[in-house]
Amino acid sequence: MVYEDYKTFQRVQVFGRQAGQLVSVTSAYDAARFVLEHWPDQAGPKNLMAREILLKCLEGNCSPAVARVAFVEAAREADIYMEAEPMRPAYTGKPDPKWGKRKTARR
């Protein structure tokens, strides 16, 4: 399988089977594997819908963004979804060198 076939999307974090284990899912392929291999025993209606949508995405019949939403909703239903913190650089106490500089048009 070529990397482009994985149908990548923005990172989603879910709890794994072990206590305190966080799993990062970044593609429809990874989400489908997680749903099939590591999902908790209870499978609700959103889980079944997510399975269908993830397979459609891997076939090329829907976008990765739609597959991500379906996976997140199923994870919320199963109570394994972890709200991700926005990725921000660590504060260093120094001003950003780009701050306050204007872009000038070159002629």
Side-chain angles (χ1 to χ4, degrees):
M1 182 179 273
V2 181
Y3 180 72
E4 290 83 28
D5 295 341
Y6 282 85
K7 311 292 184 193
T8 59
F9 52 66
Q10 187 178 359
R11 180 175 60 119
V12 176
Q13 286 190 318
V14 292
F15 291 106
R17 288 202 177 250
Q18 298 174 358
Q21 177 191 21
L22 278 178
V23 178
S24 291
V25 178
T26 58
S27 70
Y29 177 78
D30 293 339
R33 283 196 60 190
F34 186 86
V35 167
L36 294 173
E37 298 173 2
H38 303 289
W39 202 258
D41 294 331
Q42 75 275 10
K46 291 183 180 180
N47 175 280
L48 299 175
M49 181 64 72
R51 287 176 183 222
E52 288 180 32
I53 291 173
L54 288 166
L55 290 176
K56 284 181 182 179
C57 179
L58 292 173
E59 292 171 350
N61 296 326
C62 82
S63 73
V66 171
R68 182 185 186 278
V69 169
F71 180 72
V72 167
E73 290 303 314
R76 283 186 174 145
E77 179 185 61
D79 201 28
I80 62 168
Y81 179 69
M82 171 73 173
E83 289 286 341
E85 294 284 327
M87 298 291 259
R88 285 188 265 169
Y91 179 70
T92 61
K94 298 178 182 176
D96 186 354
K98 296 178 188 173
W99 189 81
K101 293 187 178 181
R102 295 183 183 184
K103 290 185 178 181
T104 58
R106 294 185 177 201
R107 294 179 192 212

